[in-house]
Amino acid sequence: MHLKIIESHLSLDYLNKYANGKTFVETGTYRGDTVWLALECDKFDAIYSIELNKDLYEAADRLFSHKPEVKIF
């Protein structure tokens, strides 16, 4: 389970105020903090995250495997 969202310029308040689409796309999944944030926002039908590092990709793919709205590339 997600323990803590790292400090970032992106916040739940920001997403709730400015996000107006149904699809969220990010590059650089890292540990999945922004994916969790997008899930918490509850505005998106689809969340796509792109991770180039094989180990980080595999970890994120496992972490979000139970979330059908999330796809890690």
Side-chain angles (χ1 to χ4, degrees):
M1 186 67 185
H2 179 65
L3 299 177
K4 180 180 179 227
I5 294 175
I6 59 172
E7 285 192 35
S8 169
H9 66 282
L10 190 60
S11 68
L12 189 55
D13 288 337
Y14 182 89
L15 284 179
N16 282 324
K17 185 173 183 179
Y18 295 108
N20 59 8
K22 292 293 185 183
T23 302
F24 183 86
V25 179
E26 77 160 336
T27 58
T29 311
Y30 188 49
R31 297 166 77 189
D33 293 321
T34 305
V35 173
W36 283 117
L37 189 67
L39 284 165
E40 284 184 47
C41 183
D42 201 30
K43 284 185 151 188
F44 305 109
D45 294 335
I47 299 169
Y48 302 122
S49 186
I50 304 160
E51 179 54 61
L52 297 178
N53 179 284
K54 182 182 178 203
D55 293 334
L56 292 174
Y57 158 79
E58 289 173 351
D61 194 48
R62 284 190 305 274
L63 183 63
F64 296 107
S65 65
H66 67 289
K67 298 287 187 182
E69 65 271 48
V70 175
K71 176 66 179 154
I72 308 297
F73 295 94

Coordinates of all heavy atoms in Angstrom, one line a residue:
M1 N 0.8 -1.2 0.0 CA 0.0 0.0 0.0 C 0.9 1.2 0.0 O 1.9 1.2 0.6 CB -0.9 0.0 1.2 CG -1.9 1.1 1.3 SD -3.1 0.8 -0.1 CE -4.1 2.2 0.1
H2 N 0.4 2.3 -0.6 CA 1.1 3.5 -0.7 C 1.2 4.1 0.7 O 0.3 4.3 1.4 CB 0.3 4.5 -1.6 CG 1.0 5.8 -1.8 ND1 2.2 5.9 -2.4 CD2 0.6 7.0 -1.4 CE1 2.5 7.2 -2.4 NE2 1.6 7.9 -1.8
L3 N 2.5 4.5 1.1 CA 2.7 5.1 2.4 C 2.6 6.6 2.4 O 2.0 7.1 3.3 CB 4.1 4.6 2.9 CG 4.2 3.1 3.0 CD1 5.6 2.8 3.5 CD2 3.2 2.5 4.0
K4 N 3.3 7.2 1.5 CA 3.3 8.7 1.6 C 3.6 9.3 0.2 O 4.5 8.8 -0.5 CB 4.3 9.2 2.6 CG 4.4 10.7 2.7 CD 5.5 11.1 3.7 CE 5.6 12.6 3.7 NZ 6.9 13.1 3.7
I5 N 2.9 10.2 -0.2 CA 3.2 10.9 -1.5 C 4.3 11.8 -1.3 O 4.4 12.6 -0.4 CB 1.9 11.7 -2.0 CG1 0.8 10.7 -2.4 CG2 2.3 12.5 -3.2 CD1 -0.5 11.3 -2.8
I6 N 5.3 11.7 -2.2 CA 6.5 12.6 -2.1 C 6.1 14.0 -2.4 O 5.1 14.3 -3.1 CB 7.7 12.1 -3.0 CG1 7.2 12.1 -4.5 CG2 8.2 10.8 -2.6 CD1 8.3 11.9 -5.4
E7 N 6.8 15.0 -1.8 CA 6.6 16.4 -2.1 C 6.8 16.6 -3.6 O 7.7 16.2 -4.2 CB 7.5 17.3 -1.3 CG 7.0 17.3 0.2 CD 7.7 18.4 0.9 OE1 8.0 19.5 0.3 OE2 8.0 18.2 2.1
S8 N 5.8 17.4 -4.2 CA 5.9 17.6 -5.6 C 5.1 18.9 -5.9 O 4.4 19.4 -5.1 CB 5.2 16.4 -6.3 OG 4.9 16.7 -7.7
H9 N 5.3 19.4 -7.1 CA 4.5 20.5 -7.5 C 3.1 20.1 -7.8 O 2.2 21.0 -7.8 CB 5.1 21.2 -8.8 CG 5.1 20.3 -10.0 ND1 6.0 19.2 -10.1 CD2 4.3 20.2 -11.0 CE1 5.7 18.6 -11.3 NE2 4.6 19.2 -11.8
L10 N 2.9 18.9 -8.0 CA 1.5 18.3 -8.3 C 0.8 17.9 -7.0 O 1.4 17.2 -6.2 CB 1.6 17.1 -9.3 CG 0.4 16.6 -9.9 CD1 -0.3 17.7 -10.7 CD2 0.7 15.4 -10.7
S11 N -0.4 18.4 -6.9 CA -1.1 18.1 -5.6 C -2.5 17.7 -6.0 O -3.0 17.9 -7.1 CB -1.1 19.3 -4.7 OG -2.0 20.3 -5.2
L12 N -3.2 17.1 -5.0 CA -4.6 16.7 -5.2 C -5.5 17.9 -5.5 O -6.3 17.9 -6.4 CB -5.1 15.9 -4.0 CG -6.5 15.2 -4.1 CD1 -6.5 14.3 -5.3 CD2 -6.8 14.5 -2.9
D13 N -5.2 19.0 -4.8 CA -5.9 20.2 -5.0 C -5.7 20.8 -6.4 O -6.7 21.2 -7.1 CB -5.5 21.3 -4.0 CG -6.0 21.1 -2.6 OD1 -7.0 20.3 -2.4 OD2 -5.4 21.6 -1.6
Y14 N -4.5 20.7 -6.9 CA -4.2 21.1 -8.2 C -5.0 20.3 -9.3 O -5.6 20.8 -10.2 CB -2.7 21.1 -8.5 CG -2.3 21.6 -9.9 CD1 -2.0 22.9 -10.0 CD2 -2.2 20.7 -10.9 CE1 -1.6 23.4 -11.3 CE2 -1.8 21.2 -12.2 CZ -1.5 22.5 -12.4 OH -1.2 23.0 -13.6
L15 N -4.9 19.0 -9.1 CA -5.6 18.1 -10.1 C -7.1 18.4 -10.0 O -7.8 18.4 -11.1 CB -5.3 16.6 -9.8 CG -4.0 16.1 -10.2 CD1 -3.9 14.6 -9.8 CD2 -3.8 16.3 -11.7
N16 N -7.7 18.5 -8.8 CA -9.1 18.7 -8.7 C -9.5 20.1 -9.4 O -10.6 20.2 -9.9 CB -9.6 18.7 -7.3 CG -9.7 17.3 -6.8 OD1 -10.1 16.4 -7.5 ND2 -9.3 17.1 -5.5
K17 N -8.6 21.0 -9.3 CA -9.0 22.4 -9.8 C -8.7 22.4 -11.3 O -9.6 23.0 -12.1 CB -8.1 23.4 -9.1 CG -8.4 24.8 -9.5 CD -7.7 25.8 -8.7 CE -8.0 27.2 -9.1 NZ -7.3 28.2 -8.3
Y18 N -7.7 21.8 -11.9 CA -7.3 22.1 -13.2 C -7.5 20.9 -14.2 O -7.5 21.1 -15.4 CB -5.8 22.6 -13.3 CG -5.6 23.9 -12.7 CD1 -5.0 24.0 -11.4 CD2 -6.2 25.1 -13.2 CE1 -4.8 25.2 -10.8 CE2 -6.0 26.3 -12.6 CZ -5.3 26.4 -11.4 OH -5.2 27.6 -10.8
A19 N -7.5 19.7 -13.7 CA -7.7 18.5 -14.6 C -9.1 18.5 -15.2 O -10.1 18.6 -14.4 CB -7.4 17.2 -13.8
N20 N -9.2 18.5 -16.5 CA -10.5 18.5 -17.1 C -10.7 17.4 -18.1 O -11.7 17.4 -18.8 CB -10.8 19.9 -17.7 CG -9.7 20.2 -18.8 OD1 -8.9 19.4 -19.2 ND2 -9.8 21.4 -19.3
G21 N -9.8 16.5 -18.2 CA -9.9 15.3 -19.1 C -10.2 14.1 -18.3 O -10.2 14.0 -17.1
K22 N -10.4 13.0 -19.0 CA -10.7 11.7 -18.4 C -9.5 10.8 -18.4 O -9.6 9.7 -17.9 CB -11.9 11.0 -19.1 CG -13.2 11.7 -18.9 CD -13.6 11.6 -17.4 CE -15.0 12.2 -17.2 NZ -15.3 12.2 -15.8
T23 N -8.4 11.2 -19.1 CA -7.2 10.4 -19.2 C -6.0 11.2 -18.6 O -5.8 12.3 -18.9 CB -6.9 10.1 -20.7 OG1 -8.0 9.4 -21.2 CG2 -5.7 9.2 -20.8
F24 N -5.3 10.5 -17.7 CA -4.1 11.1 -17.1 C -2.9 10.3 -17.7 O -2.8 9.1 -17.7 CB -4.1 10.9 -15.6 CG -3.0 11.5 -14.9 CD1 -3.0 12.9 -14.5 CD2 -1.8 10.8 -14.6 CE1 -1.9 13.4 -13.9 CE2 -0.8 11.3 -13.9 CZ -0.8 12.7 -13.6
V25 N -1.9 11.1 -18.2 CA -0.7 10.5 -18.7 C 0.5 11.1 -18.1 O 0.6 12.4 -17.9 CB -0.6 10.7 -20.3 CG1 0.7 10.1 -20.8 CG2 -1.8 10.2 -21.0
E26 N 1.5 10.3 -17.6 CA 2.7 10.8 -17.1 C 3.9 10.0 -17.6 O 3.8 8.9 -18.1 CB 2.7 10.7 -15.5 CG 3.0 9.4 -15.0 CD 3.5 9.3 -13.6 OE1 4.0 10.3 -13.1 OE2 3.2 8.3 -13.0
T27 N 5.1 10.6 -17.6 CA 6.3 10.0 -17.9 C 7.2 9.9 -16.7 O 7.2 10.9 -15.9 CB 7.1 10.7 -19.0 OG1 7.4 12.0 -18.6 CG2 6.3 10.7 -20.3
G28 N 7.8 8.8 -16.4 CA 8.6 8.6 -15.3 C 7.8 8.2 -14.1 O 7.6 8.9 -13.1
T29 N 7.4 6.9 -14.0 CA 6.5 6.4 -13.0 C 7.3 6.4 -11.6 O 6.7 6.7 -10.6 CB 6.1 4.9 -13.3 OG1 5.6 4.8 -14.6 CG2 5.1 4.4 -12.3
Y30 N 8.6 6.1 -11.6 CA 9.4 6.0 -10.5 C 8.7 5.0 -9.5 O 8.6 3.8 -9.8 CB 9.7 7.3 -9.9 CG 10.8 7.3 -8.7 CD1 11.9 6.5 -8.9 CD2 10.5 7.9 -7.5 CE1 12.9 6.5 -7.9 CE2 11.5 7.9 -6.5 CZ 12.6 7.2 -6.7 OH 13.5 7.1 -5.7
R31 N 8.3 5.5 -8.3 CA 7.7 4.6 -7.3 C 6.1 4.6 -7.3 O 5.5 4.0 -6.5 CB 8.2 4.9 -6.0 CG 9.7 4.7 -5.9 CD 10.4 5.3 -4.7 NE 10.1 4.5 -3.5 CZ 10.4 4.9 -2.3 NH1 10.9 6.0 -2.1 NH2 10.1 4.1 -1.3
G32 N 5.5 5.4 -8.3 CA 4.1 5.4 -8.4 C 3.3 6.4 -7.6 O 2.1 6.4 -7.6
D33 N 4.1 7.4 -7.1 CA 3.4 8.4 -6.2 C 2.4 9.2 -7.0 O 1.3 9.5 -6.5 CB 4.4 9.3 -5.6 CG 5.3 8.6 -4.6 OD1 4.7 7.8 -3.8 OD2 6.5 8.9 -4.5
T34 N 2.7 9.6 -8.2 CA 1.8 10.4 -9.0 C 0.6 9.6 -9.5 O -0.5 10.1 -9.6 CB 2.5 11.1 -10.2 OG1 3.6 11.8 -9.7 CG2 1.6 12.0 -11.0
V35 N 0.8 8.3 -9.8 CA -0.3 7.4 -10.1 C -1.3 7.3 -9.0 O -2.5 7.4 -9.1 CB 0.2 6.0 -10.5 CG1 -1.0 5.1 -10.8 CG2 1.1 6.1 -11.8
W36 N -0.7 7.2 -7.7 CA -1.6 7.2 -6.6 C -2.4 8.5 -6.4 O -3.6 8.5 -6.1 CB -0.8 6.9 -5.3 CG -0.4 5.5 -5.1 CD1 0.8 5.0 -5.0 CD2 -1.3 4.3 -4.9 NE1 0.8 3.6 -4.9 CE2 -0.5 3.2 -4.8 CE3 -2.7 4.2 -4.9 CZ2 -1.0 1.9 -4.6 CZ3 -3.2 2.9 -4.7 CH2 -2.4 1.8 -4.6
L37 N -1.7 9.6 -6.7 CA -2.4 10.9 -6.6 C -3.5 11.0 -7.7 O -4.6 11.4 -7.3 CB -1.4 12.0 -6.9 CG -1.8 13.4 -6.6 CD1 -2.1 13.6 -5.2 CD2 -0.8 14.4 -7.1
A38 N -3.2 10.5 -8.9 CA -4.3 10.5 -9.9 C -5.5 9.6 -9.5 O -6.6 9.9 -9.8 CB -3.7 10.1 -11.2
L39 N -5.2 8.5 -8.9 CA -6.2 7.6 -8.4 C -7.1 8.3 -7.3 O -8.3 8.2 -7.3 CB -5.7 6.3 -7.9 CG -5.2 5.3 -8.9 CD1 -4.4 4.2 -8.3 CD2 -6.4 4.7 -9.6
E40 N -6.4 9.0 -6.4 CA -7.1 9.7 -5.4 C -8.0 10.8 -5.9 O -9.0 11.1 -5.3 CB -6.1 10.3 -4.4 CG -5.5 9.3 -3.4 CD -4.6 10.0 -2.4 OE1 -5.0 11.0 -1.8 OE2 -3.4 9.5 -2.2
C41 N -7.6 11.4 -7.0 CA -8.3 12.5 -7.6 C -9.7 12.0 -8.1 O -10.7 12.8 -8.0 CB -7.6 13.1 -8.8 SG -8.3 14.5 -9.6
D42 N -9.8 10.8 -8.5 CA -11.1 10.2 -8.9 C -11.8 10.9 -10.0 O -13.0 10.9 -10.1 CB -12.0 10.1 -7.6 CG -13.1 9.0 -7.8 OD1 -12.8 8.0 -8.5 OD2 -14.2 9.2 -7.3
K43 N -11.0 11.5 -10.9 CA -11.5 12.1 -12.1 C -11.2 11.4 -13.4 O -11.8 11.7 -14.4 CB -10.9 13.5 -12.2 CG -11.4 14.6 -11.3 CD -10.8 15.9 -11.7 CE -11.7 17.0 -11.3 NZ -11.3 18.3 -11.8
F44 N -10.3 10.4 -13.3 CA -9.8 9.8 -14.5 C -10.3 8.4 -14.7 O -10.3 7.6 -13.8 CB -8.2 9.8 -14.5 CG -7.6 11.1 -14.2 CD1 -7.0 11.4 -13.0 CD2 -7.7 12.1 -15.2 CE1 -6.5 12.7 -12.8 CE2 -7.1 13.4 -15.0 CZ -6.5 13.7 -13.8
D45 N -10.7 8.2 -16.0 CA -11.2 6.8 -16.4 C -9.9 5.9 -16.7 O -10.0 4.7 -16.6 CB -12.1 6.9 -17.6 CG -13.4 7.6 -17.3 OD1 -13.8 7.6 -16.1 OD2 -14.0 8.1 -18.3
A46 N -8.9 6.6 -17.2 CA -7.7 5.9 -17.5 C -6.4 6.6 -17.0 O -6.4 7.9 -17.1 CB -7.6 5.7 -19.0
I47 N -5.5 5.9 -16.5 CA -4.2 6.5 -16.0 C -3.1 5.7 -16.7 O -3.0 4.5 -16.5 CB -4.1 6.4 -14.5 CG1 -5.3 7.2 -13.8 CG2 -2.7 6.9 -14.0 CD1 -5.4 7.0 -12.4
Y48 N -2.3 6.4 -17.5 CA -1.2 5.8 -18.2 C 0.1 6.4 -17.6 O 0.3 7.6 -17.5 CB -1.2 6.1 -19.7 CG -2.5 5.6 -20.3 CD1 -3.4 6.4 -21.0 CD2 -2.9 4.2 -20.2 CE1 -4.5 6.0 -21.6 CE2 -4.1 3.8 -20.8 CZ -4.9 4.6 -21.5 OH -6.0 4.2 -22.1
S49 N 1.1 5.5 -17.3 CA 2.4 6.0 -16.8 C 3.5 5.2 -17.6 O 3.4 4.0 -17.7 CB 2.5 5.7 -15.3 OG 3.7 6.3 -14.8
I50 N 4.5 5.9 -18.0 CA 5.6 5.4 -18.8 C 6.8 5.4 -18.0 O 7.3 6.4 -17.5 CB 5.8 6.2 -20.1 CG1 4.4 6.3 -20.8 CG2 6.9 5.6 -20.9 CD1 4.4 7.4 -21.8
E51 N 7.4 4.2 -17.8 CA 8.7 4.0 -17.0 C 9.7 3.3 -17.9 O 9.4 2.2 -18.3 CB 8.4 3.3 -15.7 CG 9.7 3.1 -14.9 CD 10.4 4.4 -14.6 OE1 9.9 5.3 -14.0 OE2 11.6 4.5 -15.0
L52 N 10.8 3.9 -18.1 CA 11.9 3.3 -18.9 C 12.7 2.3 -18.2 O 13.3 1.4 -18.8 CB 12.8 4.4 -19.5 CG 12.1 5.4 -20.5 CD1 13.0 6.4 -21.0 CD2 11.4 4.6 -21.6
N53 N 12.9 2.5 -16.9 CA 13.7 1.6 -16.1 C 13.0 0.3 -15.9 O 11.9 0.3 -15.3 CB 14.1 2.2 -14.8 CG 14.9 1.3 -13.9 OD1 14.4 0.4 -13.3 ND2 16.2 1.6 -13.8
K54 N 13.6 -0.8 -16.3 CA 12.9 -2.1 -16.3 C 12.5 -2.5 -14.8 O 11.4 -3.0 -14.6 CB 13.8 -3.2 -16.8 CG 13.2 -4.6 -16.9 CD 14.1 -5.7 -17.4 CE 13.4 -7.0 -17.4 NZ 14.3 -8.1 -17.4
D55 N 13.4 -2.4 -13.9 CA 13.0 -2.7 -12.5 C 11.9 -1.9 -11.9 O 11.0 -2.4 -11.3 CB 14.3 -2.6 -11.6 CG 15.3 -3.7 -11.9 OD1 15.0 -4.7 -12.5 OD2 16.5 -3.4 -11.6
L56 N 12.0 -0.6 -12.2 CA 10.9 0.3 -11.7 C 9.6 0.0 -12.4 O 8.5 0.0 -11.8 CB 11.3 1.8 -11.9 CG 12.4 2.3 -11.0 CD1 12.8 3.7 -11.4 CD2 12.1 2.2 -9.5
Y57 N 9.7 -0.3 -13.7 CA 8.5 -0.7 -14.5 C 7.8 -1.9 -13.9 O 6.6 -1.9 -13.6 CB 8.8 -0.9 -15.9 CG 7.7 -1.8 -16.6 CD1 6.5 -1.2 -17.0 CD2 7.9 -3.1 -16.8 CE1 5.5 -2.0 -17.6 CE2 7.0 -3.9 -17.3 CZ 5.8 -3.4 -17.7 OH 4.8 -4.2 -18.3
E58 N 8.6 -2.9 -13.6 CA 8.1 -4.2 -13.1 C 7.4 -4.0 -11.7 O 6.4 -4.6 -11.4 CB 9.1 -5.3 -13.1 CG 9.5 -5.7 -14.5 CD 10.7 -6.7 -14.6 OE1 11.4 -6.9 -13.5 OE2 11.0 -7.2 -15.6
A59 N 8.1 -3.2 -10.9 CA 7.5 -3.0 -9.6 C 6.2 -2.2 -9.7 O 5.2 -2.6 -9.0 CB 8.5 -2.2 -8.7
A60 N 6.1 -1.2 -10.5 CA 4.9 -0.5 -10.6 C 3.8 -1.3 -11.3 O 2.6 -1.2 -10.9 CB 5.2 0.8 -11.5
D61 N 4.2 -2.1 -12.3 CA 3.2 -3.0 -12.9 C 2.6 -3.9 -11.9 O 1.4 -4.1 -11.9 CB 3.9 -3.8 -14.0 CG 2.9 -4.4 -15.0 OD1 1.9 -3.7 -15.4 OD2 3.1 -5.6 -15.3
R62 N 3.4 -4.5 -11.0 CA 2.8 -5.3 -9.9 C 2.0 -4.5 -9.0 O 0.9 -5.0 -8.6 CB 4.0 -6.0 -9.2 CG 4.6 -7.2 -9.9 CD 5.6 -8.0 -9.0 NE 6.6 -7.2 -8.4 CZ 7.8 -6.8 -8.9 NH1 8.1 -7.3 -10.1 NH2 8.6 -6.1 -8.3
L63 N 2.5 -3.4 -8.6 CA 1.8 -2.5 -7.6 C 0.4 -2.1 -8.0 O -0.5 -2.1 -7.2 CB 2.6 -1.3 -7.3 CG 2.1 -0.3 -6.3 CD1 2.1 -0.9 -4.9 CD2 3.0 0.9 -6.3
F64 N 0.2 -1.9 -9.3 CA -1.1 -1.4 -9.8 C -1.8 -2.5 -10.6 O -2.8 -2.1 -11.2 CB -0.9 -0.1 -10.7 CG -0.3 1.0 -9.9 CD1 1.0 1.4 -10.1 CD2 -1.1 1.7 -9.0 CE1 1.5 2.5 -9.4 CE2 -0.6 2.7 -8.2 CZ 0.7 3.1 -8.4
S65 N -1.4 -3.7 -10.5 CA -2.1 -4.8 -11.3 C -3.5 -4.9 -10.9 O -4.3 -5.4 -11.7 CB -1.3 -6.1 -11.1 OG -1.4 -6.5 -9.7
H66 N -3.9 -4.5 -9.7 CA -5.3 -4.7 -9.3 C -6.2 -3.4 -9.6 O -7.3 -3.4 -9.3 CB -5.4 -4.9 -7.8 CG -4.9 -3.7 -6.9 ND1 -3.6 -3.3 -6.9 CD2 -5.6 -2.9 -6.2 CE1 -3.5 -2.3 -6.1 NE2 -4.7 -2.0 -5.7
K67 N -5.6 -2.5 -10.3 CA -6.3 -1.3 -10.7 C -6.5 -1.3 -12.2 O -5.6 -0.9 -12.9 CB -5.5 0.0 -10.3 CG -5.3 0.1 -8.8 CD -6.6 0.5 -8.1 CE -6.4 0.8 -6.7 NZ -7.6 1.2 -6.0
P68 N -7.6 -1.7 -12.7 CA -7.8 -1.8 -14.1 C -7.7 -0.5 -14.9 O -7.4 -0.5 -16.1 CB -9.2 -2.4 -14.3 CG -9.9 -2.1 -13.0 CD -8.8 -2.0 -11.9
E69 N -7.9 0.6 -14.2 CA -7.8 1.9 -14.9 C -6.4 2.4 -15.1 O -6.1 3.4 -15.8 CB -8.6 3.0 -14.1 CG -8.1 3.3 -12.7 CD -8.7 2.5 -11.6 OE1 -8.7 1.2 -11.8 OE2 -9.1 3.0 -10.6
V70 N -5.4 1.7 -14.5 CA -4.0 2.0 -14.6 C -3.3 1.1 -15.5 O -3.4 -0.1 -15.4 CB -3.3 2.0 -13.2 CG1 -1.8 2.3 -13.3 CG2 -4.0 3.0 -12.2
K71 N -2.5 1.7 -16.4 CA -1.6 0.9 -17.3 C -0.2 1.5 -17.2 O 0.0 2.7 -17.5 CB -2.2 0.9 -18.7 CG -1.3 0.2 -19.7 CD -1.3 -1.3 -19.5 CE -0.4 -1.9 -20.6 NZ 0.2 -3.1 -20.2
I72 N 0.7 0.6 -16.9 CA 2.1 1.0 -16.8 C 2.8 0.6 -18.1 O 2.7 -0.6 -18.5 CB 2.8 0.4 -15.6 CG1 2.1 0.7 -14.3 CG2 4.3 1.0 -15.5 CD1 1.9 2.2 -14.0
F73 N 3.5 1.5 -18.8 CA 4.2 1.1 -20.0 C 5.7 1.2 -19.8 O 6.2 2.1 -19.0 CB 3.9 2.1 -21.2 CG 2.4 2.0 -21.6 CD1 1.5 2.8 -21.0 CD2 2.0 1.1 -22.5 CE1 0.2 2.8 -21.4 CE2 0.7 1.0 -22.9 CZ -0.2 1.9 -22.4

